[in-house]
């Protein structure tokens, strides 16, 4: 994909979405359930859509939340539900709709006091904290966010009592039930009007900020950061954690400066992403251009997406780190600086994450588990402590507390960002410097992901083929960029779960191909430990193999 001519430049008026129009469409447009693009569809991160396209409208939320209520009743989940939302325009509206349905069904709802935004990791941490040592009246959560998606998008995801993303069986059930409600014109959906709901005893305001911030010392060496006087630059990208930083700075006496303190549903302060769209992607140098301009002012600079489940790490002189590079450094650091962790605890990675992580785990004599894309695959391990760390190439991860107990079971952008500051404080080196030392031991990784639009028919055919299993002969080649193909995977080695795509490996490289679970995109990943030119050959041959497979 070519880089847009204004990528990295501040958005102009013509780039901004009309919030009044968007909100009008949320309330006034109704989905057509015979159109697959307008139905409830749960991908790897819940249901996402846009009110303009009739894929995220009030009726969707009414149906989804009632379906979640039905699920939790059937699963005997009868404790309170935490509901959080981010700074997207549709999130506030969907939040109110959700409260109407939950209170209409007699569900007690825990919400942030003063209608404060509530990040994904705070909801997960709150569920874990509330349910610890309990077996009845368990708490679960709803998080209303489309993550880093553009300002016009909306999203909603369900976290059961384990605190992490819901398993596929649960989301499939909720999806089917919600679409039944849509098909029946919402017959059976219970709701109270918001004015009535807020005057019931069912909505309980909670100080989530203090509860989360006060616990951070359980998972991060906050004292080391404070004593070293690390200068931390933060760009919240207008996201839900923006008001947490002042509390973190005060509570732990940290030198934190927000370079951008704006909250604006149009995200007009953002610099455009690679494709010229406004997208709050903290792993993109184009979206992070505002913070990159300050990189040499701080010892470490950090950014997060709107729901704070992702992180972006900027080091002075070297700029924004590749998410894979930082994951490898974070894992190596944690394995050597968390003495209370069990030596048997596993490091989890998605199969499209860098093989540098494999090399780190081998060097540290630690077990590694490679699973499909989706943080839900790490939930059980993080919940029972058998996984010390779970991370995705898309800049999302979480890990255990100092004492080896569960911190949260969803991605936490706060702790990965603060870990970068801890690394600088304890080692005296930036994560980028540590990664450079890593490449001197293990070789340099050349990694790339290419996203391209995909038509529904092509996506369906691909999914059918990989579900049946793919052999080397179906790819039309026995080699990859000059090396013999050693593996063709349609199931992850770590848990034998279907990966929703294919991964092809040689001794020096690999590629993986899969349709996005949340967008109309086909994603091609590749990595080489030879050269950038070799990687280019890997990706070119990968595309040829996919074309042969689909021919």
């Amino acid at each position: 994909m070519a880089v847009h001519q204004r990528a990295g430049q501040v958005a102009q008026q013509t780039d901004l979405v009309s919030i009044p129009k968007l909100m009008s469409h949320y309330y006034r447009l109704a989905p057509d359930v015979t159109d697959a693009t307008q139905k409830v569809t749960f991908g790897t991160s819940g249901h996402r859509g846009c009110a303009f396209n009739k894929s995220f409208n009030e009726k969707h939320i009414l149906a989804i939340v009632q379906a979640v209520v039905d699920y939790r009743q059937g699963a005997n989940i009868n404790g309170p539900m935490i509901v959080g939302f981010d700074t997207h325009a549709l999130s506030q509206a969907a939040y109110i709709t959700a409260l109407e349905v939950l209170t209409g069904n007699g569900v007690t709802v825990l919400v942030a006091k003063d209608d404060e935004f509530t990040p994904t990791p705070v909801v997960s941490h709150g569920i874990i904290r509330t349910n610890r040592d309990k077996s009845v009246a368990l708490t679960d959560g709803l998080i209303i966010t489309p993550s880093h998606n553009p300002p016009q998008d909306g999203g909603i995801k369900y976290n059961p009592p384990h605190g992490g993303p819901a398993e596929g069986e649960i989301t499939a059930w909720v999806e089917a039930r919600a679409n039944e409600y849509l098909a029946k014109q919402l017959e059976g959906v219970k709701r109270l009007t918001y004015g009535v709901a807020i005057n019931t005893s069912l909505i309980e305001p909670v100080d989530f900020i203090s509860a989360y911030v006060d616990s951070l010392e359980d998972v991060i060496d906050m004292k080391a950061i404070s004593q070293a006087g690390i200068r931390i630059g933060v760009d919240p990208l207008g996201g839900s954690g923006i008001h947490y930083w002042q509390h973190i700075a005060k509570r732990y006496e940290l030198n934190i400066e927000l370079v951008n303190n704006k909250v604006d549903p149009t995200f007009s302060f953002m610099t455009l992403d690679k494709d010229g769209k406004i997208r709050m992607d903290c792993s993109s140098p184009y979206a992070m251009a505002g913070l990159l301009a300050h990189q040499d002012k701080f010892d470490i600079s950090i950014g997060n997406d709107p729901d704070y489940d992702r992180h972006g790490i900027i080091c002075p002189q070297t700029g924004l780190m590749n998410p894979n590079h930082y994951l490898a450094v974070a894992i190596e650091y944690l394995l050597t600086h968390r003495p209370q962790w069990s030596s048997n605890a596993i490091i989890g990675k998605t199969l499209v994450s860098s093989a540098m992580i494999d090399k780190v785990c081998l060097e540290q004599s630690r077990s590694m588990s490679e699973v499909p894309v989706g943080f839900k695959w790490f939930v059980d391990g993080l919940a029972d402590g058998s996984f010390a760390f779970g991370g995705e190439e898309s800049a999302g991860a979480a890990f255990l507390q100092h004492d080896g107990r569960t911190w949260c079971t969803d991605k936490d952008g706060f702790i990965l960002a603060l870990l970068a500051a801890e690394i600088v404080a304890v080692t005296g080196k930036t994560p980028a410097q540590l990664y450079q030392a890593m490449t001197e031991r293990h070789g340099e990784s050349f990694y790339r992901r290419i996203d391209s639009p995909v038509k529904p028919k092509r996506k369906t055919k691909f999914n059918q083929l990989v579900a049946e299993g793919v052999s080397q002969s179906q790819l039309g080649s026995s080699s990859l960029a000059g090396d013999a193909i050693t593996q063709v995977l349609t199931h992850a080695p770590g848990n034998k779960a279907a990966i929703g795509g294919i991964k092809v490996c040689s001794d020096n490289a690999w590629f993986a191909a899969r349709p996005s679970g949340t967008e109309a995109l086909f994603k091609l990943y590749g990595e080489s430990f030879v050269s950038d030119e070799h990687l280019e050959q890997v990706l070119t041959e990968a595309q040829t193999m996919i074309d042969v497979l689909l021919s």
Side-chain angles (χ1 to χ4, degrees), residues 8 122 132 204 239 300 344 410 419 512 536:
V122 174
R132 202 185 295 277
E204 299 182 7
I300 199 78
N344 296 320
D410 212 327
L419 181 67
E536 190 63 41

Side-chain angles (χ1 to χ4, degrees), residues 318-331:
T318 53
L320 181 66
M321 288 192 74
N322 179 300
N324 274 304
H325 297 180
Y326 180 60
L327 286 183
V329 170
I331 290 167

Side-chain angles (χ1 to χ4, degrees), residues 401-419:
Q401 296 182 166
H402 290 291
D403 62 6
R405 294 203 302 169
T406 305
W407 168 255
C408 71
T409 49
D410 212 327
K411 295 173 286 189
D412 190 334
F414 280 115
I415 65 170
L416 269 296
L418 289 167
L419 181 67

Side-chain angles (χ1 to χ4, degrees), residues 37-91:
T37 65
Q38 297 178 28
K39 296 173 71 173
V40 172
T41 305
F42 274 78
T44 53
S45 296
H47 172 79
R48 294 184 190 173
C50 179
F52 294 144
N53 302 331
K54 301 181 184 179
S55 54
F56 193 92
N57 303 80
E58 185 182 39
K59 289 189 175 181
H60 290 102
I61 304 306
L62 291 168
I64 290 169
V65 178
Q66 184 63 56
V68 169
V69 170
D70 295 347
Y71 167 76
R72 70 197 306 270
Q73 289 175 345
N76 198 31
I77 302 169
N78 51 24
M81 171 175 273
I82 299 174
V83 180
F85 66 101
D86 76 357
T87 52
H88 280 78
L90 288 173
S91 295

Side-chain angles (χ1 to χ4, degrees), residues 222-513:
M222 304 298 282
K223 185 177 293 185
I225 301 172
S226 176
Q227 290 177 344
I230 302 300
R231 296 165 300 162
I232 305 170
V234 174
D235 189 343
L237 298 184
S240 57
I242 189 167
H243 299 140
Y244 281 65
W245 291 108
Q246 60 186 357
H247 294 273
I248 293 171
K250 182 178 180 180
R251 170 69 173 77
Y252 297 104
E253 298 181 346
L254 301 187
N255 185 356
I256 295 175
E257 179 181 334
L258 267 64
V259 302
N260 166 29
N261 62 359
K262 298 182 178 66
V263 175
D264 169 11
T266 67
F267 291 88
S268 59
F269 50 81
M270 283 296 301
T271 50
L272 302 182
D273 204 0
K274 181 178 181 179
D275 58 359
K277 295 181 179 180
I278 297 176
R279 185 182 291 107
M280 290 63 69
D281 183 355
C282 52
S283 65
S284 165
Y286 303 100
M288 289 278 277
L291 183 55
L292 280 164
H294 300 275
Q295 68 180 49
D296 293 333
K297 181 180 177 182
F298 303 104
D299 297 312
I300 199 78
S301 300
I302 49 187
N304 300 94
D305 65 336
D307 73 315
Y308 266 66
D309 68 348
R310 300 189 186 197
H311 57 272
I313 308 300
I314 294 176
C315 301
Q317 282 82 56
T318 53
L320 181 66
M321 288 192 74
N322 179 300
N324 274 304
H325 297 180
Y326 180 60
L327 286 183
V329 170
I331 290 167
E332 181 179 68
Y333 175 83
L334 288 167
L335 290 178
T336 54
H337 290 82
R338 294 296 186 269
Q340 291 180 267
W341 283 6
S342 168
S343 60
N344 296 320
I346 297 166
I347 300 299
K349 57 165 276 198
T350 53
L351 53 76
V352 296
S353 299
S354 173
M356 184 66 82
I357 295 171
D358 305 47
K359 296 176 185 290
V360 168
C361 291
L362 183 62
E363 184 180 49
Q364 296 296 326
S365 300
R366 300 300 286 264
S367 298
M368 187 205 70
S369 179
E370 188 171 276
V371 301
V373 172
F375 204 79
K376 63 184 179 182
W377 302 109
F378 302 126
V379 171
D380 289 344
L382 289 170
D384 65 18
S386 61
F387 273 51
F389 184 101
E392 297 186 305
E393 58 80 31
S394 55
F399 49 90
L400 299 178
Q401 296 182 166
H402 290 291
D403 62 6
R405 294 203 302 169
T406 305
W407 168 255
C408 71
T409 49
D410 212 327
K411 295 173 286 189
D412 190 334
F414 280 115
I415 65 170
L416 269 296
L418 289 167
L419 181 67
E422 178 188 330
I423 289 171
V424 176
V426 172
T427 69
K429 297 179 180 178
T430 68
Q433 290 170 329
L434 292 174
Y435 183 77
Q436 181 57 40
M438 193 179 289
T439 63
E440 292 170 5
R441 300 195 309 276
H442 301 303
E444 187 171 358
S445 160
F446 301 89
Y447 180 103
R448 198 176 312 158
R449 188 183 96 185
I450 301 172
D451 294 351
S452 55
V454 61
K455 294 182 179 179
K457 286 185 178 180
R458 186 175 172 90
K459 179 178 179 178
T460 299
K461 183 176 182 180
F462 180 85
N463 286 338
Q464 289 172 343
L465 287 169
V466 299
E468 297 166 0
V470 176
S471 66
Q472 188 172 302
S473 61
Q474 289 176 276
L475 300 174
S477 178
S478 60
S479 64
L480 177 62
D483 296 315
I485 291 175
T486 57
Q487 284 182 305
V488 178
L489 301 172
T490 56
H491 289 72
N495 59 1
K496 310 304 178 188
I499 63 179
I502 60 171
K503 182 174 182 179
V504 178
C505 307
S506 72
D507 287 340
N508 293 309
W510 60 267
F511 79 82

Side-chain angles (χ1 to χ4, degrees), residues 104-142:
N105 283 273
V107 177
T108 297
V109 189
L110 306 180
V111 301
K113 69 176 186 178
D114 302 323
D115 283 333
E116 178 60 68
F117 309 115
T118 309
T120 288
V122 174
V123 173
S124 179
H125 179 261
I127 293 171
I128 295 297
R129 188 184 71 253
T130 303
N131 290 339
R132 202 185 295 277
D133 303 322
K134 285 177 60 178
S135 59
V136 296
L138 297 177
T139 297
D140 52 358
L142 278 175

